[in-house]
Amino acid sequence: MDKIVKRVAHAQRSATRRSQRTARRQKIQSYYRAEQTITVAGREIIDNIKDAKKAAKEDWELGPLAPQRDLGFNNYGVVIQPIRQDWSNYGQIKYQTKVAEQRCAWAGGAKMLNLAPGDRVVILEGHDKGKIDTIKTIQLETGSLTLENHNKAMVKSMLDQPPRSQPMPLSVDSVRLVYPLPDPVTGVTKDTIIRQLKAVPPRMESPNMTIERWRYGNKWDRIVPSLNRIIPWPETLAPQFEMAASDTARDQVEERTFYYSLTAPPMPEGVIDELRNKYSKFRTRHEDWYVAAKESELQDKESRSKTVRAMQTPLEEFNEMQRAIRDAAGEPELSEDMLAKIGEVMAKSKAEALERAGVSEVEAKQ
């Protein structure tokens, strides 16, 4: 079993190194993709500026004969490459958090934005300035939103299909909430532009606090700080899911199909093999019969190695005999003659060293 444990540890280390190499390679590739996307987007900005200057010059020179660029005829006013609509979808480019916070500052910030799809807003910038529309979608990562009817553009798809009108992202800072409030002077209820919203914990008098809103909507209330008035959220509807042939109904999920007692395992034995690979090299837990089989193989291997060691050649037998004789003799002992000879050699070596150094024995002793 030690061999299996070492094999699993080796496989885990190898898999970790492979995953680290893959992560580093993907990170480098993401940097390259992001750099290419930024380059293409910058080129698009430059081209748009050139086209705008050219269009302004044509409009001035042609006058009433200038092309109707806002109607989408002959690709005038058509977005060919909508790269800068949402850079987060290209490569690994992400908007800075402070940009989204600045855009959503008037509505409570990007983390607790006090706007929701279905709110009525007024447009403060662009060619649709002053128009009221309904929010269709909100992108919190970029601090932008799209409207139902306005701020659209003709977009040409990559499939050589005719251009079609699509909503374009609009900064949250470019709109303000519109809600009917009573006039403090006349008492007449009319649409009022709300220029600041603040998030507060839900109160007892919170309007339209339903189960659907608590599960799928925002769980805080929004108020107008200057009026201390709660602005109700749009009606939150539970998402409708359609049943497909591959889906499992709830009654089938809750149906009890396995019964067990205290003497039985909590799940069928075959379920374990379905949850994990039965033959995986990362497997660390094994059945008793497998462990017994591996231990039996180890014992058989050891017995075979002993048998092989018992079969020796004449040279191996002679070497073993010599080792036994040396072991029986024990450690060698030095005789007096050997010690005297060693002393003579040491004295002679010392005298030669002193002679080479030009020092006499008397001076060396002093």
Side-chain angles (χ1 to χ4, degrees):
M1 290 302 296
D2 294 340
K3 183 178 180 181
I4 297 177
V5 173
K6 292 180 181 179
R7 183 182 65 188
V8 172
H10 176 71
Q12 291 176 349
R13 290 194 298 269
S14 301
T16 302
R17 287 194 295 268
R18 286 196 301 270
S19 62
Q20 291 176 352
R21 288 195 298 267
T22 303
R24 288 195 296 268
R25 184 166 57 253
Q26 292 178 351
K27 187 176 182 180
I28 294 172
Q29 292 175 356
S30 66
Y31 287 155
Y32 282 119
R33 289 195 299 268
E35 185 177 359
Q36 293 174 359
T37 305
I38 293 175
T39 303
V40 175
R43 174 54 56 185
E44 182 185 355
I45 295 174
I46 296 174
D47 293 341
N48 290 345
I49 295 174
K50 291 182 179 179
D51 294 340
K53 291 181 178 179
K54 182 179 178 181
K57 183 178 179 181
E58 289 181 356
D59 293 343
W60 175 263
E61 293 177 350
L62 298 179
L65 299 179
Q68 297 180 347
R69 307 177 192 275
D70 57 344
L71 298 181
F73 299 145
N74 300 323
N75 288 336
Y76 287 118
V78 176
V79 181
I80 305 298
Q81 295 179 348
I83 294 178
R84 293 180 289 111
Q85 292 184 22
D86 188 0
W87 286 7
S88 61
N89 293 333
Y90 296 85
Q92 297 297 325
I93 301 179
K94 295 182 179 179
Y95 269 82
Q96 296 182 2
T97 306
K98 63 180 182 181
V99 175
E101 288 293 337
Q102 292 173 358
R103 293 180 173 182
C104 305
W106 72 271
K111 295 183 179 179
M112 299 183 70
L113 184 63
N114 293 308
L115 294 176
D119 280 331
R120 296 170 63 243
V121 294
V122 59
I123 303 174
L124 303 182
E125 299 177 1
H127 58 279
D128 292 327
K129 181 179 179 180
K131 297 181 180 179
I132 297 177
D133 203 347
T134 305
I135 298 177
K136 183 177 181 181
T137 59
I138 298 177
Q139 295 81 31
L140 297 177
E141 297 81 5
T142 59
S144 59
L145 51 83
T146 58
L147 303 177
E148 293 284 353
N149 303 317
H150 297 91
N151 197 53
K152 292 186 176 182
M154 301 296 295
V155 179
K156 184 177 180 181
S157 64
M158 299 298 178
L159 303 177
D160 294 333
Q161 296 181 355
R164 55 182 179 178
S165 178
Q166 294 183 6
M168 304 299 290
L170 183 65
S171 174
V172 175
D173 193 37
S174 301
V175 299
R176 291 297 184 269
L177 182 65
V178 174
Y179 189 77
L181 295 177
D183 192 323
V185 178
T186 62
V188 179
T189 301
K190 61 180 180 179
D191 286 339
T192 306
I193 298 177
I194 300 174
R195 299 185 178 274
Q196 187 179 5
L197 290 170
K198 182 179 178 181
V200 295
R203 303 178 181 180
M204 295 298 295
E205 64 274 13
S206 299
N208 65 1
M209 177 57 77
T210 59
I211 297 177
E212 289 77 10
R213 176 191 159 188
W214 186 257
R215 292 188 61 183
Y216 306 105
N218 297 322
K219 299 176 179 60
W220 64 88
D221 287 340
R222 53 182 181 176
I223 65 171
V224 182
S226 59
L227 301 177
N228 196 23
R229 179 186 177 92
I230 297 178
I231 304 299
W233 293 96
E235 183 181 0
T236 304
L237 300 178
Q240 300 294 331
F241 302 100
E242 296 182 359
M243 192 73 176
S246 58
D247 295 334
T248 304
R250 181 171 181 175
D251 55 352
Q252 296 176 351
V253 175
E254 296 178 351
E255 182 182 0
R256 185 174 182 180
T257 58
F258 179 68
Y259 299 88
Y260 58 92
S261 60
L262 295 178
T263 59
M267 64 179 65
E269 297 180 357
V271 175
I272 296 295
D273 295 334
E274 295 179 2
L275 298 178
R276 66 180 183 187
N277 186 4
K278 185 177 181 180
Y279 305 100
S280 174
K281 59 183 178 181
F282 302 104
R283 183 172 179 177
T284 56
R285 293 178 295 177
H286 304 278
E287 289 81 359
D288 296 337
W289 65 267
Y290 183 79
V291 176
K294 288 299 178 182
E295 292 179 352
S296 177
E297 290 181 3
L298 181 60
Q299 293 176 359
D300 294 342
K301 185 177 180 180
E302 292 179 353
S303 62
R304 286 196 300 270
S305 61
K306 291 180 181 179
T307 303
V308 171
R309 287 197 300 268
M311 299 171 61
Q312 297 178 345
T313 61
L315 179 60
E316 293 175 346
E317 292 180 358
F318 176 77
N319 293 334
E320 186 176 358
M321 188 184 300
Q322 294 297 322
R323 286 194 295 271
I325 293 173
R326 288 195 297 271
D327 294 340
E331 295 293 334
E333 298 180 358
L334 297 176
S335 63
E336 294 181 358
D337 296 338
M338 293 179 180
L339 294 175
K341 185 66 174 175
I342 293 173
E344 292 177 1
V345 173
M346 292 176 64
K348 184 179 180 181
S349 300
K350 182 178 180 181
E352 292 177 353
L354 294 174
E355 183 179 358
R356 286 194 301 271
V359 180
S360 62
E361 294 184 3
V362 178
E363 293 176 353
K365 291 179 179 180
Q366 291 178 355

